[in-house]
Structure formats: C-alpha cells, structure tokens
C-alpha cells in the first residue's frame, strides 16, 4: 500500500502561501525555506531512562544473567558454558 503524495500546490496552501503562477516572488520562497524543518527541529529529545548497556560478553545479545565468578554478563546457558570454558577471568584453584 503506497502513501498518497501531496502536490506542491497543496503543500503551499497548507503553509499559507498562495500558489499563484503569475505572482512568484523571492519572499514566498524565502518563507518556505525558513519554515522548513531542519535537523534540530525534528531531532528526538534525550531519553529520561538510563542507557541499557547489558550485553552478552560472548555473542553481544542483550544479557539477562551474570557470571558468579567474574561478573561478566551472558544471555543463555549456551553462552554461559562457552564463557566458563574460554572467557571467565577468575579460574578456580
């Protein structure tokens, strides 16, 4: 399903500019340029929630679990066994 496309005349009428072909001046195009959205007017505000940086140390997916021995994060049992075999920093004596 495609979105309907607005014509230039409809956009000009929505912005309060008359689409007269005989009376085109730089003033009407200057107003159109000044009112156009830019990066700062459409940018999203920063989140009020803290950034979630809990990623699995093995595969990089979101981690729900923490290694008891070293505190590293992992996401599944498979990543936990891989972590214990190769990546765990605190080895048991």
């Amino acid at each position: 399903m495609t979105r309907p496309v607005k014509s230039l005349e409809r956009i000009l009428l929505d912005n309060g500019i008359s689409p007269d072909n005989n009376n085109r001046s730089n003033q009407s195009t200057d107003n159109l340029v000044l009112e156009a959205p830019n990066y700062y007017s459409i940018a999203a505000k920063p989140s009020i929630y803290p950034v979630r940086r809990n990623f699995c140390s093995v595969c990089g997916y979101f981690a729900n679990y923490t290694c008891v021995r070293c505190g590293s994060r992992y996401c599944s049992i498979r990543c936990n066994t891989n972590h214990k075999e190769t990546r765990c920093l605190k080895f048991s004596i």
Side-chain angles (χ1 to χ4, degrees):
M1 184 170 157
T2 59
R3 205 171 113 188
V5 179
K6 283 187 177 181
S7 66
L8 178 62
E9 290 81 19
R10 187 75 217 153
I11 294 171
L12 291 174
L13 286 173
D14 289 345
N15 289 325
I17 302 170
S18 81
D20 293 336
N21 290 336
N22 299 334
N23 190 11
R24 288 191 179 216
S25 65
N26 289 339
Q27 185 180 7
S28 65
T29 57
D30 289 341
N31 289 339
L32 183 63
V33 171
L34 292 176
E35 295 174 3
N38 59 22
Y39 175 78
Y40 296 106
S41 66
I42 64 170
K45 295 178 183 177
S47 177
I48 59 171
Y49 301 107
V51 179
R52 182 177 176 191
R53 293 198 178 126
N54 299 331
F55 297 111
C56 179
S57 63
V58 179
C59 67
Y61 192 69
F62 291 115
N64 294 327
Y65 310 105
T66 305
C67 178
V68 178
R69 292 191 285 177
C70 69
S72 184
R73 308 281 298 190
Y74 60 91
C75 65
S76 63
I77 296 172
R78 185 176 178 186
C79 286
N80 185 25
T81 54
N82 190 352
H83 168 74
K84 283 181 181 177
E85 292 174 358
T86 59
R87 292 179 171 87
C88 195
L89 298 175
K90 295 193 176 187
F91 299 102
S92 60
I93 300 174

